[in-house]
Each structure stands twice: as structure tokens, then as C-alpha cells.
Amino acid sequence: MAADTLPKVIYEHEGVFIHSNSDDDGLEQDLLLSGSLRIVDKDGEIIVEYRPLEDSVDPSNMLCAGKDSSSVMEWAQCPGERSHQLLETQQSYETEWDMVNAVSFKRKPCTNGEGTLNHSHERSRWAFSFSISDLRSITIKEEGWSYLVFKLKESSTSLPALHFHQGGSTEFLDSLRRYSLLSEAPDDDTCFLVSTPNRALSQSFENLLDDNNFGLVHKLKKDPYVTTLGSFSKVTNYIFDAIRGSEEQHQRPPEEVADLLGEIIPGLEINQQEEPGFEVITRIDLGTRPEVQRRGPLSAEDWAKHLDPEGRMLNIAHLKQVIFKGGLCHAVRKEAWKFLLGYFPWDSTLEERKALQRAKTDEYFRMKLQWKSVSEEQERRNSRLRDYRSLIEKDVNRTDRTNRFYEGIDNPGLVLLHDILMTYCMYDFDLGYVQGMSDLLSPILYVMENEVDAFWCFVSFMDQMHQNFEEQMQGMKTQLIQLSTLLRLLDLAFWNYLESQDSGYLYFCFRWLLIRFKRELSFQDVLRLWEVMWTGLPCQNFHLLVCCAILDSEKHKIMEENYGFNEILKHINELSMKLDIEEILHKAEAICLQIKSCKDLPHSISDILGFTTDAAEPGSQESPRPARPTHQQEAFSNGHGHLRETSHNSCKVAFIS
């Protein structure tokens, strides 16, 4: 039998205390036990462990920070009144900082070997561990410091409270949230109820993406909707448990899953015709879909004609139109993508771009040095950086390995992929790395063949895609609502069919939107699609019309075969690598023109596609890369999915046949 793999440490914090032999009011303690709290991954099971350290702490020998945080006073074992006074003093000041800066401990003396054995027995008595799947709730309380009380689902034994005298409770809860959903109890705002995915569903993002290694088709036949939703890492972890239920339950029926999705992701209620603020309209006749013509890719010679003697781009509106209509030949991409993504300003001279590259090179390597210079000892105390590095190393080793740029052992392309993603963690440490981001970087690095240029182009792309990877799924939620609105306008009968099959949420489009069709198209087709979308033409959110074009081509088969919930998901997933990019772009552009020609277009549709503003007019010389919108900005800030819902309900619309 193969040896078990070593557990992966997700979170570790020393200096977590148990107040043993405490009375009900928690004011008098006979002994403080200091220990180490860890969250570890043991073969896919997430375990919380507490182990007391070698030396227990006697409160009579503990030195506590005084009022000014610059001196210490002895915390003597005294009558209750004096202990109570000291506690009140601590609660009046920044106790956690005081404890970090000024607490010291003296070893409790042991007179003989028997005392050592007694202490060992005392320590082992307070050690405990449990799986988070067995955890029912966590109660968070304050007593001048934070302490947590755990309650298990099926246990008559109560666990001791863990006291975070030296801080760290927030980081512990944040780490726990990566693997479970903590929801506030309705009757107690200090208590959080815990729900977790079962082990079978806790596969990470690449399980869905790597068909060969994980048998996607087999899993889809068995359980398509779980396979589709099943493990977009940080993005969707917390929906698994509600979809699947407990280990003992059977698979939930599709109609129940659809209801649960609406509950788990607030704001994704699609068929809410009576909700105030909805724009109620009748069925709209969009007229005949116009014919459109596409052309070949822009050549290097044509690109050069758009440069003046100082290197400024000329006739930018025409240039974007040509790129939208046919894309770019590969020889032009390395330079053109920098403009399309907003790394280079369209009106910059050649010398200005060289100066920009020099400045950006310095900035990049300063950030790269930050993680390169972290010692092993430092990283041991930085769980987030360790987690980012672990995820990146795992993803890099499976990203586009059939592409010659990344194939083989010790490929320098893989090293660059790794280093850019690690440096991005320094650039945006709040987001860090989320599985799937390597898919967005890979084509950019392939085109740029330069570490610094690839990084800054990736930064620009991530500015557009950022909300797709945030834990609250704000970008994904907004796009799914908008896509549903567009689909209802284009084909109400098809949308009603999907709704009747509990598929109105369009979750089968999740992967399309999350990584911009990266796993649906061949590598070269991805390059073509992305550069077309980066022009910002012919409207905002053109990628949503790409989704509509694909669904328009598949609707007859779905409806004629009377596909149900599971069959729809299976069919959509099996389209991967079978799509014709030129046919899709042709149809998506025609759909855009068809909608735009409608005289009585609902305001919500105009807002989604940007027909009510001049932001996406062909004559615009602005880069499509926006600053990240604030909470006050409109949801439809650009054509590339960097979305935020508005405070009003203009994006919602109810259709009446």
C-alpha cells in the first residue's frame, strides 16, 4: 500500500490559548495552555487541529502589558476583585498590540519527573482535531481579545474555547472560508453556521478543465450539473454543499438545484416578473437578421500604414474596425495587443513607449524581487503566500502543455508563466492567485515572448476580468443576469424552454464567461477571439453576444431532442474544441446589428450593449481598458466583462408573450 501523502498546512498560528479550569464568568483561570492551531489538508479532507505547546503558562508568572504599552505589570493570582480590575484595564486599551509587544512567559517550574509527566498528560488532554465537515457552528466572542467556541454536528463533548490573545482569529476564519460557507445565525449575530462541500465535490478548478486526466464525459453522464459547477476554486466553492446536500442524501432533483442557486447567489433571480423595478414589455419583433461580411486578418504592411513618422497611431477608429472584422496576422500581435489592452496609449510616440517600457521594467522587477527575496523562514509564517505559490506551481504544470511554447520538461515558458503569476500576487495581493488565471496569461505570454510586456498586458486584462475571480462572484452574477436578459429578447421561446428545464440561470455558460472561452476554442482561435473583443466593437459586452450566437446554433438540437437539465449541461460541455470561431463571430455581429436596428429597444438592453452612451463609438480613441469601476459606477462600464451591478433595476426586464 502506498504511503499517505504529507498533509498540506493551510493555516498555522502559535500562541492560541485555552483557559483551563475556568469558571463560568471566565475571570479566574488556574492555568493558561498555549498551543498551535492549524488547518491542514489531509488527502482532500480539511482538518482543524489544536496542539498545546511544550510549556504551559501559569497566570501567576505571566507578564502583561501596562497602560502605556511600554512597561509590563505582573498578572498575579489574586482574589477575584483584583483580577476583574486587571481585565477591565486590558479591555480599555489595544490589548492585542500590547500582548504582541510586551508579553513574556516564565516556565512553570517542575520539581521532578512526575511533574513533567503530569504536564504532558495535561497537554494531551486538551489536544483536539476535527474535520470541518463535522463542524456545525463557530461562535465569536470578545473579552478584550477574541475567542472562538466550536460546536460539532454530532458530539456530546464540548470543545474548549480558543483564545487569541495575540491576534490571528480573523486570519483563521478567512482561511476557513476558503473551504466552507460561514453564514450568520438568524437569532445570534455572534454565531456563524458552517456548511461545507462533501469531499467528492471539492475538486479544484482544473478538474473541470482537464478532460483527459479527470474523465469529464464520464462525470457529466453521472452528475452533469455538479461537474459543471464543481470546483471553480475560490469562485464557487461555497455552493457545493447546498447543491449536493449531506453525504447521506441522494442527488438533489434539478428543480431543487435551480431554487438553491437563486438562494445561494443573491441577485441572480431571473424570472421575477412582479418584482418592483422591472421593465415589463411585450414580445418584440427584432426584424430580419442582417447579413454581415468579415475579412482577412490585418497584415504587417497595413499596420505600418497606420503609424506616423514619430510612431503615433493614425486613423485609430478605422484600425479598430479592421481588427474587429478580421483580427491580426500573428506578426502584428506582439505590438498591437499592447495597444488593444491599454498598456500602450494609442496617441504615444515610439520614444514615449520606450520610456514607458523602461519605467515598467523597473517597476516589474521591484515587485518580482519582493517574493524572490522572501526566505524560507519568512514564507513559513506567511500562509497566503505559501498557498498562492502552491496553486501557481500546480496550475503552471498543467497549462497548455500540448502547445510547443509550454511543452516538455524544464521549459523556460513555464518558468516565465510561474514568475509572472507570482509577481502578480505582489501587484494585487488582495486577489493574489485564483485557479484559472493561468489560462488568461498563457496566450498573452505566448504572443509577447517577453516577461515584462506579458506581465503588464496581463495586468490590463485582469483589470477587465478581476470581478470574475473575486469570492463574491459579482462579475459572474452580473454577466449571467445580462446574458439571460439578452437571450429572452432574442428568442423568448428558447429561453422559456430552458426555464422549464430549470436552466434559466444559464449556469452552463459559466466557464465561457469565467475565462473567456479559453477552454472552448483551439489556442489559435482564442487569440483571434480575444483581439476582436479587445477592440470594444461593435458594442459593449460583445462577449455576451458571442454566448448568444453559440446558443442560437445549438437551440434546435436542445429543443428537438427535448434535453432536460442534465442533458443540456452535458451537451454544452461537449461543444469544447468543436466550435467554428469565424461562424460564431459572424453570427454575433449580425445579432448586434439586429438588436441595434430595433426602434423600441428596452432600456435595459440598451444599457447592457452600450447603445445609450457614446462610450463604445467606433470613433473613440480611448483604450478599452478602464479603471476599475467604483460601487457608484454603472454596471456596463466596458465591453469585456469588468462589470458591477447598478443600484437600480434597469438591467432587469420581464417579457410577456
Side-chain angles (χ1 to χ4, degrees), residues 407-424:
E407 70 181 0
I409 302 174
D410 298 326
N411 188 306
L414 298 180
V415 176
L416 293 179
L417 204 62
H418 171 274
D419 288 2
I420 292 171
L421 292 171
M422 284 295 297
T423 305
Y424 186 80

Side-chain angles (χ1 to χ4, degrees), residues 278-297:
F278 272 82
E279 180 184 1
V280 180
I281 61 176
T282 57
R283 185 191 296 272
I284 294 176
D285 182 7
L286 294 175
T288 305
R289 188 170 296 171
E291 290 293 328
V292 298
Q293 298 295 324
R294 292 189 58 78
R295 51 156 289 167

Side-chain angles (χ1 to χ4, degrees), residues 294 549 553-554 579-589:
R294 292 189 58 78
S553 298
E554 301 302 321
L579 300 171
D580 184 329
I581 185 59
E582 286 302 320
E583 178 185 331
I584 292 168
L585 289 172
H586 187 281
K587 182 173 287 189
E589 182 184 357

Side-chain angles (χ1 to χ4, degrees), residues 465-512:
M465 303 291 289
H466 196 277
Q467 287 187 318
N468 281 16
F469 295 94
E470 294 172 1
E471 285 194 64
Q472 299 305 313
M473 301 198 306
Q474 185 66 42
M476 296 303 302
K477 180 178 71 176
T478 302
Q479 290 171 88
L480 287 168
I481 292 172
Q482 292 175 335
L483 178 56
S484 178
T485 302
L486 290 169
L487 188 61
R488 279 178 289 169
L489 173 74
L490 292 168
D491 197 325
L492 184 57
F494 180 46
W495 188 88
N496 282 335
Y497 177 83
L498 294 176
E499 178 71 8
S500 71
Q501 302 300 323
D502 299 298
S503 299
Y505 289 103
L506 306 182
Y507 252 83
F508 47 79
C509 300
F510 196 98
R511 185 172 69 180
W512 298 358

Side-chain angles (χ1 to χ4, degrees), residues 628-637 644-648:
R628 289 186 194 162
T630 64
H631 286 283
Q632 287 74 36
Q633 285 179 291
E634 291 290 327
F636 320 109
S637 58
R644 189 180 297 278
E645 284 190 308
T646 57
S647 59
H648 52 78

Side-chain angles (χ1 to χ4, degrees), residues 38 51 58 64 79 118 127 155 165 175 201 239 263 314 322 349 376 402 428 477 503 530 575 579 632:
R38 300 199 309 170
R51 294 287 181 273
D58 186 339
C64 181
N118 286 341
S155 176
H165 288 290
S175 298
L201 298 177
I239 70 177
E263 295 173 6
L314 302 172
V322 172
T349 65
E376 291 184 8
T402 58
D428 188 348
K477 180 178 71 176
S503 299
W530 286 6
L575 294 176
L579 300 171
Q632 287 74 36

Side-chain angles (χ1 to χ4, degrees), residues 36-154:
S36 173
L37 180 64
R38 300 199 309 170
I39 302 176
V40 296
D41 183 342
K42 293 184 177 179
D43 298 323
E45 186 175 10
I46 307 303
I47 305 293
V48 176
E49 296 180 342
Y50 179 81
R51 294 287 181 273
L53 300 179
E54 287 300 312
D55 296 301
S56 54
V57 179
D58 186 339
S60 64
N61 291 318
M62 178 177 174
L63 301 180
C64 181
K67 252 187 182 183
D68 58 2
S69 299
S70 60
S71 60
V72 295
M73 65 176 77
E74 184 173 352
W75 187 357
Q77 188 69 13
C78 305
E81 182 179 358
R82 182 176 173 186
S83 295
H84 191 264
Q85 288 176 341
L86 178 57
L87 182 62
E88 288 179 343
T89 301
Q90 286 182 317
Q91 288 176 326
S92 302
Y93 298 93
E94 297 180 4
T95 312
E96 289 191 352
W97 280 110
D98 290 344
M99 296 291 288
V100 169
N101 293 328
V103 169
S104 61
F105 302 103
K106 299 177 183 178
R107 290 191 176 187
K108 189 170 182 178
C110 301
T111 55
N112 51 43
E114 182 180 353
T116 303
L117 291 174
N118 286 341
H119 283 167
S120 177
H121 174 72
E122 180 72 11
R123 288 194 302 273
S124 63
R125 185 166 73 89
W126 292 105
F128 63 84
S129 67
F130 57 84
S131 170
I132 64 168
S133 61
D134 297 326
L135 185 59
R136 179 183 301 277
S137 66
I138 304 175
T139 301
I140 306 169
K141 297 190 176 182
E142 297 290 333
E143 195 175 276
W145 57 85
S146 298
Y147 69 94
L148 306 181
V149 179
F150 302 100
K151 184 175 181 181
L152 302 182
K153 292 178 180 176
E154 298 178 3

